[in-house]
Amino acid sequence: MAQCVQSVQELIPDSFVPCVAALCSEEAERLTRLNHLSFAELLKPFSRLTSEVHMRDPNNQLHIIKNLKIAVSNIITQPPQPGAIRKLLNDVVSGSQPAEGLVANVITAGDYDLNISDRSVKASVPWYSNWKDMLMELQESSLYTATTPWFESYRETFLQSMPASDHEFLNHYLACMLVASSSEAEPVEQFSKLSQEQHQIQHNSDYSYPKWFIPNTLKYYVLLHDVSSGDEQRAESIYEEMKQKYGTQGCYLLKINSRTSNRASDEQIPDPWSQYLQKNSIQNQESYEDGPGTITSNKNSDNNLLSLDGLDNEVKDGLPNNFRAHPLQLDSSSDPSNSIDGPDHVKSTSLLHETKKANTGIIHGACLTLTDHDRIRQFIQEFTFRGLLPHIEKTIRQLNDQLISRKGLSRSLFSATKKWFSGSKVPEKGINELKNTSGLLYPPEAPELQIRKMADLCFLVQHYDLAYSCYHTAKKDFLNDQAMLYAAGALEMAAVSAFLHPGAPRPYPAHYMDTAIQTYRDICKNMVLAERCVLLSAEILKSQSKYSEAAALLIRLTSEDSDLRSALLLEQAAHCFINMKSPMVRKYAFHMILAGHRFSKAGQKKHALRCYCQAMQVYKGKGWSLAEDHINFTIGRQSYTLRQLDNAVSAFRHILINESKQSAAQQGSFLREYLYVYKNVSQLSPDGPLPQLPLPYINSSATRVFFGHDRRPADGEKQAATHISLDQEYDYESSQQWRELEEQVVALVNKGVIPSNFHPTQYCLNSYSDNSRFPLAVVEEPITVEMAFRNPLKVPLLLTDLSLLWKFQPKDFSGKNNEVKELVISKPEMIGAEVISEFLINSEESKVARLKLFPHHIGELHILGVVYNLGTIQGSTTIDGIGALPGCHAGNHCLSMTVRGRQDLEIQGPRLNNTKEEKTSIKYGPDRRLDPIITEEMPLLEVFFIHFPTGLLCGEIRKAYVEFVNVSKCPLTGLKVVSKRPEFFTFGGNTAVLTPLSPSASENCSAYKTVVTDSTSVCAALTSSASSVDFGIGTGSQPEVIPVPLPDTVLLPGASVQLPMWLRGPDEEGVHEINFLFYYESVKRQPKIRHRILRHTAVVCTSRSLNVRATACRSNSLEDEEGRGGNMLVFVDVENVNTSEAGVKEFHIVQVSSSSKHWKLQKSVNLSENKDAKLASREKGKFCFKAVRSATQSSEKYTFADIIFGNEQIISSASPCADFFYRSLSFELKKPPAQPSVQTEKQSVEDAVRLIQKCSEVDLNIVVLWKAYVVEDSKQLILEGQHHVILRAIGKEAFSYPQKQEPPEMELLKFFRPENTTVSSRPSVEQLSNLIKASLHYPESFNHPFHQKSLCLVPVTLLLSNCSKADVDVIVDLRHKTTSPEALEIHGSFTWLGQTQYKLQLKSEEIHTLQLKACFVHTGVYNLGTPRVFAKLSDQDTVFETSQQNSMPALIIINNV
């Protein structure tokens, strides 16, 4: 149970005190009424004795009584009505609430942490964020205990309002004060009148109430004297007369009203009465001036009063006497005693209100001084010492003697009678006993009752030992007689006496109490007495820390007949559970809920709310969502009834925002209830700020912001640039690629340096983008905010009039005037906002909404959140389509209630993790995606692609058109496009003629520039030249950044321009994503935005076409030498690797062109005469060409040579052929030239290496141009394309397609220490062998008459040509070194005649001839290729000396003639 102000040792004696009646004359009552008090009320604050009192028990032992209190009350001759008592108790409870200083339903949680698990103060009502602080304050204050003052008031009132009954005498009157005034004409006569009246009330059979303890009641005569107006002399004389008549022990002169009430304001006199009279403040005294309700001694008014008022006057004498039953009572209609007749009831309630008003300013005891207070205190002392206690002592003696004298006789008589009736339980009727349901009813003078009387008297004067033994004796007698009601009373008081006995020789007999309770409840059907037993026993058990037993006891008495009692007892039981040694928190919470439910049924809304809130602390956050929902729902309902609307809203909000496990129907009703309450709240303050709505959930971090117009859809052949839109998923890699492209073009524009203030352009901001800076938006361009909504409920939500909430600060960024204009909120001329009229979110659905703002002014915009009407749809729980609701169109949902509110978008920035401080603490950076700065107008480019292919053959060339449109009001300039794949497209070089301009005119034309040729010049090459600079490719420039050739380099507002664009299918098959980034600037420089970009991603699928491989080798022939060692053979293999799916019938090789600064193709040396170069599927063609050095060696210009296989020459030095050729070269050109180094020794070695390597280098580029014949939809199309092969070195095969690299085999790891000596890079053997080109010139066959001359001599010329640019020392060794016998066998043996070794030096690119002689002795075929040539650079050591290989065997046939 909760903490109580009084201990049980104080509580019980205060609940059972000697009762004294008061009977006043009218005049005496008038004197006390001057203080707004009745006589009984006047004495109330002084009714406890300040000192100990002594009396002697029957054995003449001295007995001390401490803290004795007496109860004086006016006589009321009717028992209190049960209905009135119920009403009183109800009002007492509702009048006593938790301390007013707190918010009404914050719980004074008690001196325990409700969150027992970790003993920390986390107990919380869901919606009070400062609850923790409040608990801490409470805990530190001294008042912090879990008291339940309403329960104590209830208990006190309940015990005091117990009606007197016949089976016990504790609250029967022991004495009666007769009060008259000294100002009356005949006071003594008045006393005798009062005495007769008292006698009549006690002994006349008409009056069954009140009950009197013993027939000869003590009468005590009190003379009231008004000091301020009465005659003191007269009062004294009357008092003397009274003393003569009644004896000094039996009368008293009480002087009061020492001051007149009009000078009440001079000094402040304490008011000890208010605490007694305020207890039940609702039904405080009626205005005593009204007359008929006042309590007087005259008979009529007494009857008038008693007929109306059933209350025990000791509790509330001045109760307005017109109420009989409680208006909330459940059984008022069925129980006639409680029925309320209309007008009377109305009168009573109105009177209550008047009384309430009247009472607030009343000062009690206004005519009394402190001296008067002392006099009253003295009077009570005198009365108790001189009158009451001697009377009690005497009565106890008499009863004791009576019992002792009767004991022997009556006991034996009784038992004899019983035996006479053969043990029958029914006593003889002659003893005037009546049978009732609960056993016997004894006559008042029955000896058993005398024992009980004596026991009660002893109990009242705290003589518990004697009381216990008397109760114990009486109990046995009652049980023997089966008088169950009497027995239960004796058991109850015996148990209490045993507990209160100071020596406590015996333990508290709890089983006595249990029996008593059971008897009262089940046999006697008297719940009031059972309740008293429970209240006392629970207090006793609690004082012994037997909380579990106390709780069981309290719970046992909860029943359907009284909700208020059940509620209070359940609440106390809950407190018992929490006060146990190991607190049972969940039991506490569960019983609090039960108590709250019963409080609610009893009409105690505030208490009900408090109980639910207290229980909520335990259930909250434990995942018991259904329990939480129930509690929150009830809290919401109760708060609403108590007009605590904000709390109601919060509670309902909680039901909706927790992941609810309720059924759809239940959730729907919760939602409707919430909307209803919410509507009432918002109607209270229609102009207040919009409240926050709990539904639907908004995932703030998923909010995306997009700056700019929506992308136009494709229009026929026109396809708009993809740019950026909210429909695209974020991809980190691609965003990095775009960033790199933008950095490339910005660096180029800024002379190769990226400016320090450069930030990549972001059109779409999301949780992955960098949102630390304020984003820039352009005036008149829309801002789209995408929000992710989620409906957690199983019922659909309908949002109407959904729009963004924002504030705007107009500013001028140009810096001319720095004044900041005022903040603007919701002005459509500054910012236009889009409103979505209806937005439906189905049950448990996640859905995004996109809302636009249209800025019309520059300044700072802050997007705060969304504002909308929240409602639901009636008649359907889910909506699968538009037709799910009959009679509801998509634009006209059957709306139930809607409320307007807002939700804020608060986005938490990224966690900071740079400095040490940030790493050790949790700090978040800003996220400014919702705070754009609106800047001045900028140009806006739109790009459209016309005839843009989606599928190409590898190497296929296609012509498309690009349209550039400026859709803004500013001119744009500096248009560039940047791409990672510049080899994919070209706008044509400077030499290109921009014709035809319209796409339709170019429908069937070739993409190439062609010239019709004469068929005779079939195999010879046609040459032309072009500079790479013309095609935007120069050394050191960035091939990825391509300026767009706009006419006049400016695109005016509203203007559009179409440019041709050639595309070449990438060499690898598959799907290619090619990113284009268009960069442009405004003609007028803007302070905030320097440039803008537009993105486009083209997706092209390529399929296989041709594979080209080529090799070059030195020609050994001597013709066309022109004195220089410069001709080569070029072998080109072309294979058709196309798979038939593409529908290609065959490929025609139309032309093979070369492009080089040093070489050119001279003619085709195809061996077959067939000049048609067709390749069907999987066929391979071989071509051989002769290449010669070009006459004009220019560092800038490339020589193009075309060898034509058809009748049209494609000019390979013009667009687009040359463009793509240069693009394929561009990566080579981009490599920076080698820097000359300084160190000399190493330098010479490296130079030598370089010279040697150069010998075998060739920079010849082959371009194979082809046509493919495709059948598609029974139409024949001709596709054209080109492949490039770059020949770098002699004898090395080159490919047109990228080679797949084989993954290296896994090797064992080797651990070794690297050598420090750095070996200079050596040229390979192959490279060294190309230093000198050696060729033998001799007749193919030689006829010699061997019979004439046995030796055959053949002249042979050895031609040595130096291929390098340096001087070379050459050694020619003619000695045979062939070791293998096979070689000897095959070629036979011959001898060189003359000098066997020649040493000579060849200058740069010099050609030298040696005349040699070979000598043969037989006919046969001989290989003359035996001379071995060694070469080294003249200025080098022999390190690089190596044998120069002959390219092929030199065979000669020797014939005999």
Side-chain angles (χ1 to χ4, degrees):
M1 288 170 81
Q3 303 288 324
C4 288
V5 180
Q6 284 182 306
S7 72
V8 65
Q9 279 81 0
E10 298 166 327
L11 169 75
I12 297 176
D14 276 5
S15 305
F16 300 103
V17 293
C19 295
V20 178
L23 202 54
C24 304
S25 68
E26 272 188 29
E27 184 60 25
E29 193 69 26
R30 187 187 67 76
L31 285 184
T32 58
R33 281 284 169 226
L34 295 173
N35 294 297
H36 300 293
L37 299 162
S38 70
F39 179 72
E41 285 169 350
L42 182 73
L43 304 183
K44 198 162 238 171
F46 311 103
S47 58
R48 188 184 292 282
L49 298 188
T50 50
S51 56
E52 294 182 353
V53 272
H54 300 205
M55 61 173 279
R56 294 201 174 270
D57 63 9
N59 303 331
N60 218 17
Q61 298 288 318
L62 192 67
H63 171 62
I64 300 172
I65 308 169
K66 295 178 181 170
N67 277 339
L68 183 65
K69 181 180 165 187
I70 62 169
V72 182
S73 55
N74 293 352
I75 290 179
I76 289 187
T77 56
Q78 273 214 335
Q81 296 281 335
I85 293 176
R86 273 203 294 273
K87 165 84 172 102
L88 174 64
L89 291 172
N90 218 352
D91 291 343
V92 163
V93 173
S94 60
S96 172
Q97 293 292 340
E100 273 306 306
L102 308 179
V103 187
N105 43 4
V106 173
I107 306 121
T108 313
D111 51 359
Y112 42 81
D113 288 331
L114 284 183
N115 203 338
I116 298 286
S117 57
D118 57 0
R119 297 275 172 205
S120 64
V121 187
K122 283 189 192 150
S124 117
V125 181
W127 51 92
Y128 288 114
S129 55
N130 56 352
W131 173 240
K132 185 173 173 181
D133 310 339
M134 190 167 280
L135 264 184
M136 294 304 268
E137 281 167 35
L138 284 172
Q139 213 171 22
E140 286 156 16
S141 71
S142 55
L143 304 166
Y144 185 65
T145 49
T147 55
T148 45
W150 48 93
F151 172 69
E152 289 173 48
S153 307
Y154 170 87
R155 186 178 59 199
E156 187 184 341
T157 310
F158 171 79
L159 291 170
Q160 289 174 352
S161 62
M162 293 271 309
S165 61
D166 290 324
H167 79 290
E168 63 181 19
F169 304 96
L170 290 162
N171 52 1
H172 290 197
Y173 286 131
L174 276 164
C176 180
M177 290 181 183
L178 306 171
V179 189
S181 164
S182 62
S183 57
E184 296 192 45
E186 292 294 336
V188 180
E189 196 180 314
Q190 185 67 44
F191 277 127
S192 52
K193 260 191 199 170
L194 290 172
S195 179
Q196 283 165 19
E197 192 177 331
Q198 188 274 332
H199 189 271
Q200 192 179 355
I201 290 172
Q202 183 172 355
H203 298 291
N204 191 336
S205 58
D206 297 350
Y207 295 101
S208 64
Y209 203 83
K211 309 278 187 192
W212 302 87
F213 209 102
I214 44 176
N216 56 337
T217 303
L218 166 71
K219 290 180 187 167
Y220 194 76
Y221 300 89
V222 182
L223 181 66
L224 270 188
H225 173 61
D226 188 328
V227 177
S228 58
S229 62
D231 179 353
E232 193 138 351
Q233 293 288 295
R234 178 163 187 260
E236 290 291 348
S237 65
I238 295 167
Y239 181 48
E240 286 304 321
E241 195 179 332
M242 285 163 65
K243 279 203 265 193
Q244 297 298 321
K245 186 172 182 183
Y246 308 119
T248 52
Q249 305 287 332
C251 57
Y252 194 82
L253 168 63
L254 178 57
K255 300 180 179 176
I256 58 167
N257 296 0
S258 297
R259 65 173 183 173
T260 51
S261 57
N262 56 6
R263 42 180 271 275
S265 57
D266 314 1
E267 51 176 322
Q268 274 291 300
I269 295 287
D271 175 6
W273 293 273
S274 55
Q275 56 174 323
Y276 294 97
L277 305 178
Q278 280 313 112
K279 279 239 172 94
N280 315 327
S281 59
I282 296 182
Q283 69 283 12
N284 248 335
Q285 294 80 11
E286 73 276 37
S287 323
Y288 293 111
E289 293 73 26
D290 294 356
T294 56
I295 297 170
T296 58
S297 60
N298 88 10
K299 199 66 183 261
N300 309 340
S301 72
D302 215 27
N303 281 344
N304 168 23
L305 168 78
L306 298 172
S307 63
L308 288 164
D309 184 10
L311 272 179
D312 178 345
N313 238 25
E314 192 240 341
V315 182
K316 243 326 129 243
D317 325 26
L319 200 65
N321 297 322
N322 14 18
F323 49 134
R324 310 184 187 150
H326 188 270
L328 292 170
Q329 217 164 282
L330 298 170
D331 53 357
S332 56
S333 52
S334 57
D335 181 356
S337 65
N338 298 338
S339 64
I340 298 170
D341 37 337
D344 204 21
H345 171 57
V346 173
K347 189 171 127 204
S348 84
T349 48
S350 61
L351 179 68
L352 272 184
H353 289 299
E354 285 165 31
T355 309
K356 218 173 180 175
K357 283 181 206 156
N359 272 342
T360 47
I362 288 179
I363 299 171
H364 300 292
C367 303
L368 302 175
T369 59
L370 289 174
T371 320
D372 291 334
H373 289 196
D374 291 339
R375 285 179 184 143
I376 299 169
R377 206 173 278 115
Q378 187 62 38
F379 158 62
I380 295 285
Q381 297 269 56
E382 285 293 313
F383 165 70
T384 314
F385 286 13
R386 303 275 171 81
L388 185 61
L389 284 177
H391 175 67
I392 290 173
E393 195 175 322
K394 190 177 78 183
T395 313
I396 290 176
R397 290 241 159 110
Q398 283 175 359
L399 288 167
N400 193 39
D401 298 344
Q402 235 175 325
L403 287 169
I404 288 168
S405 60
R406 274 199 202 169
K407 213 168 201 172
L409 171 71
S410 59
R411 286 301 107 182
S412 51
L413 228 175
F414 274 159
S415 46
T417 330
K418 280 177 189 161
K419 280 174 191 161
W420 196 259
F421 283 108
S422 64
S424 157
K425 288 282 177 201
V426 183
E428 197 186 339
K429 287 280 181 271
I431 315 177
N432 203 4
E433 290 168 336
L434 303 161
K435 202 74 176 102
N436 82 345
T437 51
S438 52
L440 301 166
L441 280 180
Y442 291 101
E445 61 282 352
E448 286 86 350
L449 287 193
Q450 305 310 313
I451 299 183
R452 170 74 208 228
K453 260 186 199 175
M454 180 170 158
D456 283 351
L457 266 181
C458 294
F459 188 86
L460 288 174
V461 293
Q462 302 174 12
H463 200 314
Y464 300 119
D465 194 16
L466 186 54
Y468 176 78
S469 56
C470 294
Y471 284 131
H472 203 264
T473 312
K475 173 202 75 162
K476 285 181 182 165
D477 290 347
F478 293 141
L479 283 173
N480 287 338
D481 295 342
Q482 289 287 301
M484 295 317 290
L485 180 64
Y486 295 88
L491 279 166
E492 174 189 5
M493 295 317 292
V496 175
S497 304
F499 172 72
L500 287 174
H501 185 260
R506 54 184 73 80
Y508 166 63
H511 58 288
Y512 278 17
M513 272 297 194
D514 294 346
T515 313
I517 294 167
Q518 207 173 340
T519 308
Y520 281 144
R521 194 182 62 190
D522 300 340
I523 298 172
C524 310
K525 306 282 184 238
N526 189 330
M527 290 304 281
V528 177
L529 291 168
E531 184 177 352
R532 181 181 71 186
C533 267
V534 166
L535 291 176
L536 296 176
S537 183
E539 277 300 331
I540 292 169
L541 289 168
K542 190 185 88 174
S543 72
Q544 297 175 336
S545 297
K546 294 180 178 169
Y547 289 107
S548 173
E549 292 87 334
L553 198 62
L554 291 161
I555 293 167
R556 208 160 75 204
L557 205 70
T558 54
S559 62
E560 287 307 310
D561 63 324
S562 166
D563 287 314
L564 182 64
R565 179 187 69 231
S566 302
L568 286 158
L569 296 185
L570 282 166
E571 185 182 12
Q572 292 308 307
H575 280 288
C576 287
F577 289 124
I578 201 88
N579 276 318
M580 289 180 178
K581 194 171 275 175
S582 50
M584 303 172 83
V585 190
R586 293 199 296 253
K587 256 193 161 61
Y588 158 82
F590 180 63
H591 286 87
M592 271 311 216
I593 296 284
L594 295 177
H597 176 63
R598 297 307 287 269
F599 270 130
S600 179
K601 281 175 77 176
Q604 298 281 353
K605 301 290 181 201
K606 281 188 181 172
H607 286 296
L609 177 59
R610 182 183 48 70
C611 287
Y612 275 100
C613 288
Q614 270 176 294
M616 186 59 180
Q617 302 173 75
V618 176
Y619 286 114
K620 188 171 177 279
K622 299 284 186 303
W624 298 353
S625 62
L626 295 176
E628 258 184 270
D629 288 351
H630 168 75
I631 298 170
N632 270 318
F633 184 68
T634 315
I635 288 175
R637 278 248 165 118
Q638 301 288 11
S639 303
Y640 180 70
T641 330
L642 293 167
R643 306 308 292 162
Q644 297 176 6
L645 296 179
D646 289 346
N647 291 351
V649 167
S650 300
F652 282 122
R653 177 191 176 97
H654 257 261
I655 307 178
L656 298 175
I657 62 176
N658 288 337
E659 295 295 326
S660 175
K661 296 189 175 71
Q662 303 283 3
S663 65
Q666 189 65 50
Q667 288 182 359
S669 73
F670 283 162
L671 181 59
R672 283 192 295 279
E673 193 104 17
Y674 170 75
L675 294 174
Y676 174 70
V677 172
Y678 195 99
K679 200 150 186 89
N680 283 315
V681 175
S682 52
Q683 280 165 358
L684 292 180
S685 54
D687 304 330
L690 279 175
Q692 296 280 345
L693 290 172
L695 291 172
Y697 290 1
I698 295 181
N699 180 359
S700 293
S701 63
T703 304
R704 300 197 294 163
V705 185
F706 177 69
F707 302 100
H709 296 280
D710 292 344
R711 178 174 168 248
R712 288 197 203 170
D715 170 22
E717 280 290 302
K718 274 192 183 186
Q719 175 196 350
T722 52
H723 196 43
I724 304 159
S725 76
L726 285 170
D727 300 322
Q728 296 166 2
E729 288 295 313
Y730 175 81
D731 174 22
Y732 176 75
E733 280 181 23
S734 74
S735 69
Q736 282 303 103
Q737 284 173 15
W738 287 116
R739 180 185 174 137
E740 284 165 24
L741 289 176
E742 188 176 355
E743 282 175 357
Q744 257 182 323
V745 67
V746 169
L748 185 81
V749 171
N750 288 284
K751 303 189 177 65
V753 183
I754 298 178
S756 58
N757 60 352
F758 164 76
H759 299 297
T761 312
Q762 297 189 113
Y763 284 113
C764 183
L765 300 178
N766 51 29
S767 50
Y768 306 107
S769 52
D770 174 12
N771 304 326
S772 55
R773 291 180 307 279
F774 294 103
L776 300 174
V778 177
V779 71
E780 303 298 346
E781 289 186 21
I783 298 168
T784 310
V785 179
E786 179 188 87
M787 279 157 308
F789 288 111
R790 182 168 71 85
N791 176 7
L793 302 183
K794 297 186 178 79
V795 289
L797 296 176
L798 185 63
L799 313 186
T800 51
D801 298 341
L802 175 67
S803 63
L804 289 170
L805 203 61
W806 49 268
K807 68 179 182 191
F808 180 66
Q809 213 165 357
K811 277 195 179 172
D812 187 2
F813 298 111
S814 57
K816 286 174 207 136
N817 50 345
N818 288 327
E819 52 156 350
V820 175
K821 297 182 187 140
E822 79 295 344
L823 224 58
V824 183
I825 293 187
S826 309
K827 268 200 182 173
E829 63 270 17
M830 290 285 188
I831 307 280
E834 177 190 22
V835 178
I836 296 179
S837 59
E838 281 193 356
F839 187 74
L840 178 72
I841 312 175
N842 277 327
S843 59
E844 297 180 330
E845 180 187 19
S846 296
K847 195 171 177 183
V848 294
R850 291 180 186 164
L851 289 161
K852 286 197 174 83
L853 290 178
F854 303 94
H856 304 311
H857 197 287
I858 60 172
E860 290 176 8
L861 177 65
H862 301 280
I863 298 164
L864 307 174
V866 269
V867 54
Y868 55 93
N869 297 327
L870 173 64
T872 178
I873 296 171
Q874 285 183 326
S876 159
T877 48
T878 54
I879 292 182
D880 299 325
I882 293 176
L885 279 182
C888 290
H889 310 296
N892 170 22
H893 291 296
C894 312
L895 271 184
S896 60
M897 188 171 308
T898 62
V899 293
R900 188 132 185 98
R902 63 185 279 180
Q903 276 203 66
D904 290 345
L905 284 171
E906 287 168 356
I907 304 175
Q908 188 179 53
R911 175 148 178 210
L912 300 175
N913 203 20
N914 301 327
T915 63
K916 185 182 178 188
E917 185 192 354
E918 285 168 358
K919 283 176 181 166
T920 50
S921 60
I922 296 179
K923 283 187 178 174
Y924 293 93
D927 191 300
R928 300 211 166 96
R929 69 182 97 155
L930 295 174
D931 305 317
I933 292 172
I934 314 296
T935 64
E936 295 165 33
E937 277 192 306
M938 282 293 287
L940 186 60
L941 176 73
E942 283 194 359
V943 177
F944 298 97
F945 296 89
I946 304 162
H947 297 320
F948 199 90
T950 52
L952 290 171
L953 292 173
C954 292
E956 183 191 342
I957 304 257
R958 200 67 84 76
K959 188 175 189 177
Y961 281 83
V962 196
E963 183 174 21
F964 297 99
V965 188
N966 182 356
V967 292
S968 66
K969 295 180 181 161
C970 306
L972 68 86
T973 185
L975 179 56
K976 295 179 175 52
V977 59
V978 56
S979 172
K980 282 262 184 285
R981 306 283 297 269
E983 70 276 13
F984 170 68
F985 69 98
T986 177
F987 289 106
N990 300 350
T991 58
V993 185
L994 297 180
T995 56
L997 276 180
S998 69
S1000 55
S1002 68
E1003 197 83 23
N1004 298 312
C1005 293
S1006 165
Y1008 290 114
K1009 185 176 173 187
T1010 58
V1011 177
V1012 178
T1013 56
D1014 184 13
S1015 59
T1016 54
S1017 61
V1018 110
C1019 284
L1022 300 165
T1023 56
S1024 56
S1025 64
S1027 163
S1028 64
V1029 181
D1030 292 342
F1031 294 90
I1033 311 284
T1035 43
S1037 79
Q1038 285 213 327
E1040 288 97 342
V1041 182
I1042 298 156
V1044 177
L1046 287 179
D1048 307 330
T1049 68
V1050 173
L1051 197 57
L1052 295 173
S1056 74
V1057 111
Q1058 275 188 0
L1059 297 175
M1061 181 188 212
W1062 287 273
L1063 308 168
R1064 176 174 179 272
D1067 286 320
E1068 294 154 69
E1069 67 168 333
V1071 178
H1072 302 268
E1073 273 198 10
I1074 294 158
N1075 291 338
F1076 297 92
L1077 182 126
F1078 295 94
Y1079 165 101
Y1080 57 98
E1081 299 170 5
S1082 174
V1083 174
K1084 189 175 89 177
R1085 289 301 288 270
Q1086 298 287 16
K1088 290 269 180 194
I1089 307 181
R1090 291 290 163 85
H1091 67 271
R1092 300 193 85 177
I1093 60 169
L1094 176 71
R1095 301 176 182 178
H1096 175 62
T1097 301
V1099 179
V1100 176
C1101 181
T1102 54
S1103 47
R1104 291 193 285 186
S1105 54
L1106 298 176
N1107 272 357
V1108 182
R1109 47 175 74 194
T1111 41
C1113 55
R1114 288 238 167 91
S1115 152
N1116 280 344
S1117 61
L1118 280 170
E1119 56 194 308
D1120 285 342
E1121 287 301 339
E1122 300 165 15
R1124 313 184 63 88
N1127 51 1
M1128 284 190 305
L1129 290 179
V1130 177
F1131 296 93
V1132 178
D1133 289 7
V1134 183
E1135 185 187 359
N1136 175 357
V1137 289
N1138 180 257
T1139 48
S1140 52
E1141 289 107 60
V1144 181
K1145 279 203 309 183
E1146 57 186 7
F1147 284 93
H1148 287 229
I1149 308 301
V1150 182
Q1151 175 175 323
V1152 177
S1153 300
S1154 72
S1155 162
S1156 168
K1157 291 182 181 175
H1158 309 299
W1159 295 85
K1160 63 181 183 186
L1161 293 182
Q1162 190 187 34
K1163 61 180 180 183
S1164 166
V1165 250
N1166 253 21
L1167 305 170
S1168 71
E1169 288 306 306
N1170 181 5
K1171 56 170 233 198
D1172 189 14
K1174 278 189 200 160
L1175 293 176
S1177 182
R1178 289 289 172 195
E1179 281 187 349
K1180 191 186 267 191
K1182 268 187 181 297
F1183 298 88
C1184 179
F1185 302 99
K1186 180 176 178 187
V1188 294
R1189 286 191 185 268
S1190 19
T1192 54
Q1193 300 265 337
S1194 140
S1195 64
E1196 276 307 309
K1197 294 217 167 182
Y1198 280 75
T1199 306
F1200 287 83
D1202 302 339
I1203 291 182
I1204 304 152
F1205 293 99
N1207 51 5
E1208 267 189 334
Q1209 179 197 358
I1210 294 172
I1211 300 176
S1212 56
S1213 60
S1215 291
C1217 180
D1219 294 85
F1220 289 116
F1221 159 67
Y1222 281 123
R1223 292 284 149 83
S1224 68
L1225 273 189
S1226 62
F1227 290 103
E1228 297 304 308
L1229 293 171
K1230 213 165 70 172
K1231 292 176 184 162
Q1235 297 293 316
S1237 57
V1238 192
Q1239 295 165 322
T1240 48
E1241 206 174 306
K1242 257 194 185 165
Q1243 174 68 33
S1244 58
V1245 177
E1246 282 172 16
D1247 284 353
V1249 172
R1250 208 168 294 117
L1251 279 168
I1252 292 170
Q1253 285 173 345
K1254 263 202 159 149
C1255 292
S1256 55
E1257 273 180 19
V1258 186
D1259 59 339
L1260 177 62
N1261 307 292
I1262 304 292
V1263 182
V1264 177
L1265 295 111
W1266 49 264
K1267 283 189 177 169
Y1269 291 87
V1270 180
V1271 178
E1272 200 176 86
D1273 305 334
S1274 71
K1275 274 198 320 196
Q1276 178 161 322
L1277 299 177
I1278 300 178
L1279 307 179
E1280 45 197 355
Q1282 65 188 59
H1283 280 75
H1284 312 121
V1285 185
I1286 298 173
L1287 284 170
R1288 302 233 176 280
I1290 289 177
K1292 206 167 181 189
E1293 198 170 23
F1295 302 89
S1296 67
Y1297 49 95
Q1299 291 303 97
K1300 288 198 181 84
Q1301 288 199 334
E1302 289 293 318
E1305 302 244 332
M1306 282 188 65
E1307 287 181 4
L1308 288 173
L1309 274 176
K1310 295 194 181 86
F1311 295 94
F1312 61 90
R1313 176 181 288 154
E1315 296 294 326
N1316 286 340
T1317 53
T1318 53
V1319 182
S1320 65
S1321 55
R1322 286 191 64 132
S1324 67
V1325 175
E1326 201 182 338
Q1327 287 171 337
L1328 285 169
S1329 68
N1330 285 326
L1331 261 179
I1332 298 290
K1333 181 172 135 185
S1335 56
L1336 290 164
H1337 291 256
Y1338 55 91
E1340 270 186 37
S1341 65
F1342 193 82
N1343 296 334
H1344 178 71
F1346 278 101
H1347 58 271
Q1348 293 176 5
K1349 212 174 183 184
S1350 58
L1351 290 180
C1352 167
L1353 297 181
V1354 180
V1356 177
T1357 308
L1358 175 61
L1359 195 73
L1360 296 173
S1361 71
N1362 179 359
C1363 297
S1364 75
K1365 303 261 183 179
D1367 296 354
V1368 178
D1369 292 345
V1370 183
I1371 297 173
V1372 180
D1373 188 355
L1374 297 179
R1375 283 170 296 183
H1376 284 281
K1377 286 284 167 60
T1378 315
T1379 49
S1380 67
E1382 296 94 337
L1384 289 171
E1385 268 172 38
I1386 294 167
H1387 303 304
S1389 185
F1390 74 97
T1391 323
W1392 294 101
L1393 297 182
Q1395 198 174 336
T1396 55
Q1397 199 175 41
Y1398 296 86
K1399 282 192 184 171
L1400 39 119
Q1401 187 178 45
L1402 295 182
K1403 298 268 183 290
S1404 162
E1405 297 192 354
E1406 183 190 342
I1407 298 177
H1408 186 79
T1409 50
L1410 281 176
Q1411 301 298 333
L1412 308 174
K1413 278 196 179 138
C1415 173
F1416 301 91
V1417 292
H1418 295 293
T1419 55
V1421 178
Y1422 295 90
N1423 178 10
L1424 293 178
T1426 60
R1428 289 192 302 155
V1429 183
F1430 297 94
K1432 72 174 179 69
L1433 295 176
S1434 306
D1435 54 352
Q1436 288 295 318
D1437 300 332
T1438 55
V1439 181
F1440 297 139
E1441 188 170 312
T1442 180
S1443 164
Q1444 301 294 303
Q1445 299 298 321
N1446 279 328
S1447 53
M1448 52 188 72
L1451 297 178
I1452 185 167
I1453 304 171
I1454 304 292
N1455 298 321
N1456 188 6
V1457 276

